[in-house]
Amino acid sequence: MVKWLFKQEPSDYSYDDLAAEGKTIWEGVNNPLAKQYLRQVQSGDQILFYHTGKEKAIVGIMAATEAAKSDPNDEKAVIVSVKPVEKLKQPLTLARIKQEPKLANWELVRLARLSVMPITKEQWSILKSILEEA
DNA sequence: GCCAACGTTGGC
DNA sequence: GCCAACGTTGGC
């Protein structure tokens, strides 16, 4: 199972919006690399929800409820159905992530404009250990 | 509000 | 098909 990070501007759609709704369809991803990643999402994959803009932090965890598929209205668009799993007790900020030398190569740090990216096992375990020490 | 980094567009 | 110019995004 692959893990992912999706970015979203919280004033457009926040983790709390997702929690309130119970599920949503992730869509509107246009960047070619982001789309390529999005297309690889499988049912059950865990996805971190990152807030851009003022917050710049991972705020919650979601899970894909179905594998990625094409938008029925637009063959070229990719959509993923997701549901909330849990909200983090406290956000994991970009500033904190940048303090980890081992996370310096992660797309989140290197490619600010990428809105969908994979998380490797090693990266995931580092993130988890940061969360647990808090 | 600025800038860096990346994408896209359009002229050749 | 290349590449310069421009636009967009997101962090600072």
Side-chain angles (χ1 to χ4, degrees):
Chain A
M1 176 182 315
V2 188
K3 296 181 172 63
W4 307 93
L5 181 143
F6 289 2
K7 285 186 186 174
Q8 183 64 34
E9 167 58 41
S11 60
D12 292 337
Y13 194 86
S14 69
Y15 184 85
D16 288 339
D17 292 332
L18 173 63
E21 258 189 289
K23 63 175 179 181
T24 195
I25 305 282
W26 210 270
E27 61 190 346
V29 172
N30 285 314
N31 176 285
L33 180 58
K35 247 169 148 172
Q36 189 184 310
Y37 285 142
L38 194 63
R39 212 171 260 290
Q40 296 171 29
V41 175
Q42 294 296 314
S43 180
D45 282 359
Q46 283 191 289
I47 304 159
L48 296 181
F49 196 133
Y50 177 90
H51 282 179
T52 58
K54 272 186 84 172
E55 294 186 42
K56 294 185 285 293
I58 297 164
V59 296
I61 302 173
M62 344 180 240
T65 54
E66 293 176 52
K69 59 184 181 186
S70 294
D71 186 331
N73 301 315
D74 178 3
E75 264 303 299
K76 280 169 281 186
V78 186
I79 59 172
V80 173
S81 304
V82 296
K83 64 173 182 187
V85 175
E86 71 175 306
K87 186 177 181 175
L88 300 185
K89 290 181 210 79
Q90 83 185 55
L92 177 47
T93 65
L94 181 62
R96 179 68 186 86
I97 289 166
K98 284 188 167 175
Q99 285 175 23
E100 293 298 323
K102 283 184 178 167
L103 294 177
N105 288 325
W106 192 16
E107 282 99 326
L108 184 69
V109 176
R110 285 194 305 121
L111 301 177
R113 295 178 53 189
L114 187 65
S115 60
V116 175
M117 69 196 72
I119 307 173
T120 66
K121 274 186 184 155
E122 191 192 5
Q123 287 159 351
W124 183 268
S125 68
I126 295 167
L127 293 171
K128 264 184 82 176
S129 67
I130 297 172
L131 287 173
E132 279 159 14
E133 87 191 16

